[in-house]
Every structure is written in structure tokens, then in C-alpha cells.
Amino acid sequence: MMEYTDRHFRHMCRLISPRMELWSEMVTANAIVNTKEDEEYQRRFLQQSPLENPTILQLGGSDPSSLAEAVKIACDSQSWSGSWNGINLNCGCPSDKVSLKGCFGARLMESPTLVSECVSSMSNAVSSLPPATPKPEISVKCRIGVDSNDSYSDLTNFIESVTANSPVKTFQIHARKAVLDGTFSPVDNRTIPPLKYEYVYGLCRDYPDLEFHLNGGVMSLTQVREVYEGSEEKLKGVMIGRSIVSQPWYWSNLDYVLYGEVPSNGVESRRDLVLKYAEHAEEEEKIEGVKARRRLIRPLVNLFNGEEGGKKWRQKCDEIMQSAGSKRKGYADRDGDHGSLTELLTEALKVMPEEAVERSRFDTFELMLLKEKIIKEQGVEGGGGGIDKVARQAKAVWEAERKERERIMKEEDYGHEDEALQKNG
């Protein structure tokens, strides 16, 4: 997601889940090629933190030679940035800047032959890398169709053309079509065209030798399991976008729910997450300077989204970002009168209820499941006040259930003690 899934957001996500596959924001091939001597730009878009892998680099473009050169530059950067597990060609972005002026993104679905040329060129670039260099897999992310070319047969024609004329075997499918006639905004294209998961399930069924990942409309771990089961467990992955940006801590149980694993990285609460992330942010600020502070703090803004005190937390994050100054008004000293990022974030946590800051992964998941249940039962949609009201209601139910469990456990403990006393007596 452009302007969101930068390397700092990905670092936070890796602290939340050691298992999830991370994706870069889309970077245009021309931008990488034209700034290959610009260390700051290359660092911003191509560097990874040591924790990040597995990570996929997503490229935008429609010129095979530029895409190939961008792949080489990205792979050359692996000596100092960490290796990419895959490099993806975006054929799904509906933005006017991309589909009209740039003639790539979702517009490429109208030209499967060109897509084949692009990914073949990218694959050749990977094959030409030195033997010791890690070889990322090339894949394609696309929609189920474009404008009136939105039938299942149109989609299969695209898949068959690309795979017949290139080495690509992996596709990430956004299960909506893209409307590119100028009547839909990018937001409209994310919400108005109906989701057709059955198209993606059909691809899994009809092309068992290929790998398909589903994207679009999946907002919870419950839905992840539902779509996976809907594919008869043939999907290779489920892609989450805006949900993890809007409620990142909710996904802290992903490893346990999907893989049966409990992360052992020391991040058990949001306090742990903020303080560990602050270590990364301080190291980055030493290198990039205080001007990077806004990018460094932005991943944390939605950490308490929809909860009591969440608005105050966002305001505190905004204050920290503003403490850096600006390009127009001038940047502040790295620490200045404001303190280190660890100190600033520790102070910001004080606006939140202690119980929320210290709430464990599992307690958070229980609470979120209750919230989902209430939303489903009451038909609540959208965000803002409605979701805040549901959050308060879910918390009240959760606290009552927790107290009842504690009461029962105490009674059972007392019962065992009485039995022991009677036997000893």
C-alpha cells in the first residue's frame, strides 16, 4: 500500500508477527532506475530492517527493460539491505496516475502479452544474478478484470496468456474488477465493485499447478479462515491491506490462530511493542535525522484505534511528529527540548488506560472476537462512533465474562482444598 507499508511499518508488523509475509509499498521501476545514485531514496524504498524477511518488493511499470534494471538494482542492494523473497509486478492498481498517465497497474490486464514480456524480462534479470545472490520469485498481482472485461473466462484468458509466455506461476488476485473509465476513484474501486471470491476459488480448482493468493475485503482472522476454507484449502495465501493499517494489534494473534505458534520475541503487550519499535526508530533517526520522525511514528498512530483513549493516543503521536519541525519551517535538533523517541512514546502511553496498554495478545483476541460477534448481531457498519460504541460494549461483556471465569476457578480451587482437608482430617 503506497505511503503506508514502508520499511518502518513493516518492522512494526514483524514485531507483531514473525510469520506473516510482508510487502513493500509499490515502487515504480523508473523511480528506482532514475535514482540509483541517490542513497537516501534507495535507502528509503529498498532497504529492509534485519527482522523483515520474508518480504516481497512490489514494482510498478510497463517497460520490460526498466523493470529488469530495477530488479537488478534491488537485488544488488541485498548486500546491505537484506534479501527480497519475491518481486511482484503490480497489475491491479486502479489509480488514474498509474492506469491513465503511467499506463500500468490494472491497465496492464488489457495487455497480457506485455505483462508476459515484463515478467519474463524481470525473471531473466533474476537468472543473470551471480550464483551466490538470493533469487527472488517473480509474481503478478492483478484484479479479476477491467471494465467490461470482467467475466471468469476473461480472467482465465489473462492467466493462461501470462503463464504460457513467461515463467510466472504465482498470482495475487484482488477479487474485484477495476473500473478505469474515469468514473471511479481509487477508493470507489476498493469498495464498489462486488467481491467475487468464487473467481479466485475457480482458479485454484482449474489451475492446480499454479499458486493463488486472495486479496480484497478480508478484515479479520475469522474471514481469513473462511476464505481459505472456501477454496477447499487450495489458496496459498490471503493478503491483508487496510485492516492491518487500521488495527495492527488485532493481528498479533495471527501466528497462533493460523499456524498454532506463539511468538517468542518478547512482544506480549502494546507497551512491549511500542518500546521495541522505539529502539528501531531511534537507530533510524540517528541515520536519517529528525526529518524522518513523521515516517517513523506514523506506523504507531492506529495502535489503539477504536478504543477508549485512542483519540488521545493519536494526538500524542501527532505531537511527536510535529516536534521534528518541517522542511518549510526548519527541522529541530534530533533530541532538542523534547527528549528521545523512547521517552516521548513512553510518556504518550500514559494517556491510555493501563489495562489497554498491558493487555496481552490473547486477551486482545478474545475482546476482538466479541466485538466481531456484536457487529454481526447488530449489523453495525462503518467506523467512528459506531465502532467505538461496540468496543465499549464488547469490553463490558469481556470483563464480565473474565470475572465469572475467575470466580469459577476460585470456587474450584476452594473445592479442591476442602477435599484435601477432608482426606487429611
Side-chain angles (χ1 to χ4, degrees):
M1 292 172 58
M2 294 181 70
E3 300 298 327
Y4 285 100
T5 54
D6 61 15
R7 60 194 180 89
H8 307 306
F9 183 83
R10 297 195 303 269
H11 184 90
M12 182 189 71
C13 287
R14 183 57 73 224
L15 292 173
I16 289 172
S17 164
R19 282 293 300 268
M20 71 169 71
E21 182 180 84
L22 303 175
W23 280 54
S24 76
E25 55 189 316
M26 184 180 73
V27 188
T28 66
N30 286 340
I32 292 176
V33 172
N34 294 334
T35 61
K36 60 184 177 182
E37 305 300 329
D38 186 334
E39 183 178 342
E40 183 176 348
Y41 186 94
Q42 295 286 304
R43 175 181 169 79
R44 177 177 175 182
F45 290 103
L46 293 182
Q47 184 162 358
Q48 305 175 63
S49 77
L51 289 177
E52 277 189 41
N53 282 339
T55 310
I56 309 298
L57 172 65
Q58 186 176 66
L59 296 179
S62 57
D63 178 65
S65 60
S66 293
L67 285 161
E69 187 172 356
V71 167
K72 290 180 179 180
I73 293 170
C75 291
D76 284 344
S77 74
Q78 291 179 152
S79 60
W80 53 267
S81 74
S83 60
W84 299 101
N85 296 79
I87 299 180
N88 177 267
L89 177 64
N90 183 300
C91 298
C93 180
S95 169
D96 289 350
K97 294 179 181 178
V98 167
S99 64
L100 296 180
K101 297 179 182 178
C103 200
F104 59 97
R107 183 67 68 186
L108 277 173
M109 289 196 72
E110 298 175 335
S111 306
T113 300
L114 177 57
V115 173
S116 299
E117 293 173 0
C118 288
V119 290
S120 293
S121 185
M122 293 164 68
S123 295
N124 290 337
V126 169
S127 299
S128 69
L129 295 171
T133 303
K135 307 296 192 297
E137 179 189 11
I138 303 299
S139 63
V140 169
K141 185 175 187 293
C142 63
R143 294 281 181 134
I144 59 171
V146 173
D147 294 331
S148 60
N149 300 316
D150 60 350
S151 68
Y152 182 67
S153 62
D154 288 326
L155 177 59
T156 58
N157 288 340
F158 175 80
I159 298 295
E160 290 176 5
S161 178
V162 172
T163 53
N165 297 289
S166 78
V168 166
K169 300 297 180 184
T170 301
F171 295 82
Q172 292 77 22
I173 313 288
H174 187 146
R176 288 186 175 94
K177 76 172 183 177
V179 179
L180 304 180
D181 61 5
T183 60
F184 277 20
S185 69
V187 174
D188 292 336
N189 265 307
R190 289 196 301 267
T191 55
I192 295 178
L195 287 162
K196 295 186 177 181
Y197 292 160
E198 65 272 18
Y199 279 25
V200 188
Y201 298 160
L203 293 175
C204 293
R205 179 191 65 242
D206 296 338
Y207 301 93
D209 294 334
L210 304 179
E211 294 189 357
F212 297 99
H213 303 240
L214 183 146
N215 174 227
V218 179
M219 303 298 289
S220 69
L221 283 164
T222 302
Q223 286 179 293
V224 170
R225 300 198 69 149
E226 286 175 353
V227 297
Y228 179 62
E229 291 167 2
S231 73
E232 299 179 351
E233 301 186 356
K234 293 177 181 177
L235 277 172
K236 294 300 181 181
V238 179
M239 179 177 283
I240 308 299
R242 301 193 178 275
S243 179
I244 199 166
V245 171
S246 64
Q247 49 177 6
W249 184 243
Y250 166 80
W251 296 91
S252 62
N253 283 281
L254 181 149
D255 292 16
Y256 178 73
V257 173
L258 300 183
Y259 304 110
E261 299 177 4
V262 179
S264 58
N265 60 357
V267 178
E268 299 300 326
S269 68
R270 278 174 284 195
R271 184 184 300 280
D272 296 335
L273 176 63
V274 169
L275 295 181
K276 280 190 173 291
Y277 180 82
E279 295 174 7
H280 161 79
E282 288 194 356
E283 289 302 312
E284 291 295 320
E285 194 170 84
K286 288 177 183 177
I287 298 170
E288 295 191 40
V290 74
K291 64 182 180 180
R293 183 166 290 186
R294 182 168 294 277
R295 292 200 309 275
L296 290 167
I297 297 300
R298 187 170 55 189
L300 299 173
V301 169
N302 289 329
L303 201 54
F304 296 93
N305 198 23
E307 297 184 50
E308 180 185 352
K311 183 177 180 181
K312 291 181 179 179
W313 167 257
R314 290 193 296 273
Q315 290 172 340
K316 280 293 184 181
C317 287
D318 189 58
E319 289 174 12
I320 297 173
M321 290 189 282
Q322 290 184 28
S323 70
S326 65
K327 185 175 182 179
R328 183 169 61 86
K329 296 181 179 180
Y331 291 109
D333 293 335
R334 185 173 65 82
D335 290 342
D337 298 328
H338 300 284
S340 69
L341 286 176
T342 297
E343 293 169 338
L344 291 169
L345 288 167
T346 300
E347 186 65 24
L349 284 171
K350 293 179 181 179
V351 304
M352 294 300 302
E354 185 73 8
E355 184 273 331
V357 174
E358 301 293 353
R359 189 181 300 142
S360 70
R361 294 172 181 263
F362 295 110
D363 284 348
T364 297
F365 188 56
E366 277 191 355
L367 189 54
M368 293 302 291
L369 285 176
L370 276 172
K371 187 174 175 181
E372 289 174 19
K373 181 181 178 182
I374 292 171
I375 289 172
K376 187 175 182 179
E377 290 175 349
Q378 298 184 1
V380 179
E381 295 183 0
I387 295 299
D388 286 340
K389 181 179 178 181
V390 171
R392 288 192 293 271
Q393 186 177 349
K395 184 180 177 185
V397 173
W398 175 71
E399 289 178 342
E401 290 182 351
R402 186 174 62 172
K403 288 179 181 178
E404 180 63 14
R405 286 199 301 269
E406 291 173 352
R407 183 189 67 77
I408 293 172
M409 290 175 66
K410 285 181 180 178
E411 288 182 352
E412 290 177 348
D413 288 341
Y414 290 146
H416 293 316
E417 288 178 6
D418 288 342
E419 289 177 8
L421 287 172
Q422 289 174 7
K423 288 180 180 179
N424 293 330

